[in-house]
Amino acid sequence: ALPRVENMTEEQRLDSNLYMSVFLNSVPFNDSSEIKNSDKEIFLDLRNKQRPQYIIDVKRNETLVKERRAMLNPDRLTDNILVLYTDAISRAHSKRKLSKTLKWFQEKYDKPDSDWELFEFFRYHVVEGRTLESMFEMIFGIPWPEDEEVKDKYAHLPLVDTFKKNGYITGHYLDKCGVIQFHSSQNQLKKAYAEPWDHEGVAMNCDPNYQDPKSPYSIVQGPSAVFRRCFYGKDAHDYGLEYGT
């Protein structure tokens, strides 16, 4: 049984510490019946040595359900919100690699009688890495801060805080061994507070069969690989879709 990353300390959740945090806090189960009685949500089934597999069992917290239900805005636009963030793909490449996804978006675009609403934000292509800046502004609503600008890292809480205060139960999956893209060092820890989501399905991505702890940004294995990203017979993103649904 892998640990609930959302219950770890901020120090344990740092990218540089998360491998060992997951390893040291995993616990063995003797029987699959223990899954339902545990508060854990991600389990590595090793009974079939030739074909190990992850079992995902997201737990419903009735106390949390009641707490958030009391906070719900009766005039909210929707009961459920799904946010998908895709990094390092240009507009031109998205048409080539995500043709079916873009077609789905286009079917919903500029249709006054549709139940869907689509917003498109245009920008120029960048010629250098801008993952941190783009993701930080999306999550916190402010530009990426320089060190000297950070006076109070709790002044701008992340998107998840807004969801919680509006009564939503939140879940999060990132296809790397980490809780947020910029949360990788003590220096970055000073910039903002990576508030935990209610459910975080990232522990399985600390499996060395997927992401090498000695080379987390390898182009041949793990989230930055140029090859298909799979472990235990499934695409890495399939685990995220399973965890979220």
Side-chain angles (χ1 to χ4, degrees), residues 132-145 153-162 180-183 188 191-195:
L132 297 182
E133 291 85 349
S134 297
M135 181 175 282
F136 192 91
E137 191 150 5
M138 185 198 79
I139 294 175
F140 290 92
I142 58 173
W144 173 255
K153 73 174 187 177
Y154 299 100
H156 299 278
L157 294 176
L159 190 63
V160 61
D161 186 71
T162 301
I180 202 164
Q181 188 65 36
F182 59 84
H183 201 242
Q188 292 181 2
K191 292 182 181 290
Y193 173 53
E195 181 174 346

Side-chain angles (χ1 to χ4, degrees), residues 20-238:
M20 289 305 297
S21 297
V22 170
F23 177 76
L24 293 174
N25 290 282
S26 296
V27 295
F29 280 2
N30 296 315
D31 192 276
S32 59
S33 63
E34 296 182 70
I35 291 176
K36 291 296 180 184
N37 299 325
S38 167
D39 69 333
K40 305 294 190 295
E41 297 185 332
I42 300 172
F43 309 85
L44 180 57
D45 185 355
L46 297 170
R47 289 173 295 182
N48 184 344
K49 300 297 183 181
Q50 301 301 316
R51 194 172 179 82
Q53 63 176 336
Y54 273 109
I55 298 173
I56 296 173
D57 184 37
V58 179
K59 300 300 194 299
R60 179 182 174 91
N61 184 330
E62 293 296 344
T63 301
L64 184 62
V65 169
K66 292 179 181 178
E67 175 188 311
R68 297 289 168 80
R69 189 171 288 161
M71 301 165 66
L72 273 175
N73 183 344
D75 298 322
R76 63 190 180 280
L77 295 177
T78 182
D79 289 335
N80 298 289
I81 299 172
L82 177 64
V83 179
L84 300 176
Y85 183 94
T86 303
D87 181 42
I89 183 167
S90 69
R91 187 177 184 83
H93 277 306
S94 66
K95 292 181 178 180
R96 179 174 65 88
K97 298 292 289 184
L98 300 172
S99 58
K100 293 180 180 179
T101 302
L102 289 185
K103 181 181 178 182
W104 187 86
F105 281 135
Q106 289 166 358
E107 291 172 351
K108 310 292 184 290
Y109 188 64
D110 198 22
K111 300 286 174 49
D113 57 343
S114 174
D115 292 333
W116 298 82
E117 194 168 9
L118 181 69
F119 301 91
E120 189 168 12
F121 301 90
F122 294 96
R123 60 160 297 170
Y124 292 109
H125 289 262
V126 295
V127 292
E128 59 181 292
R130 290 296 178 188
T131 292
L132 297 182
E133 291 85 349
S134 297
M135 181 175 282
F136 192 91
E137 191 150 5
M138 185 198 79
I139 294 175
F140 290 92
I142 58 173
W144 173 255
E146 299 298 334
D147 291 340
E148 63 271 14
E149 296 176 351
V150 180
K151 296 179 180 178
D152 179 10
K153 73 174 187 177
Y154 299 100
H156 299 278
L157 294 176
L159 190 63
V160 61
D161 186 71
T162 301
F163 288 141
K164 288 180 178 180
K165 289 178 179 176
N166 282 275
Y168 290 97
I169 293 175
T170 62
H172 171 61
Y173 177 86
L174 185 67
D175 66 344
K176 58 170 280 189
C177 183
V179 297
I180 202 164
Q181 188 65 36
F182 59 84
H183 201 242
S184 58
S185 67
Q186 285 290 345
N187 183 48
Q188 292 181 2
L189 190 64
K190 299 174 184 177
K191 292 182 181 290
Y193 173 53
E195 181 174 346
W197 300 63
D198 299 312
H199 302 270
E200 293 186 340
V202 300
M204 69 188 84
N205 293 322
C206 298
D207 191 315
N209 288 295
Y210 171 60
Q211 183 171 326
D212 184 353
K214 295 182 179 179
S215 183
Y217 300 106
S218 168
I219 63 170
V220 297
Q221 178 184 347
S224 300
V226 296
F227 303 108
R228 188 173 180 179
R229 303 159 194 179
C230 307
F231 57 118
Y232 302 131
K234 295 178 68 174
D235 286 291
H237 64 262
D238 280 345

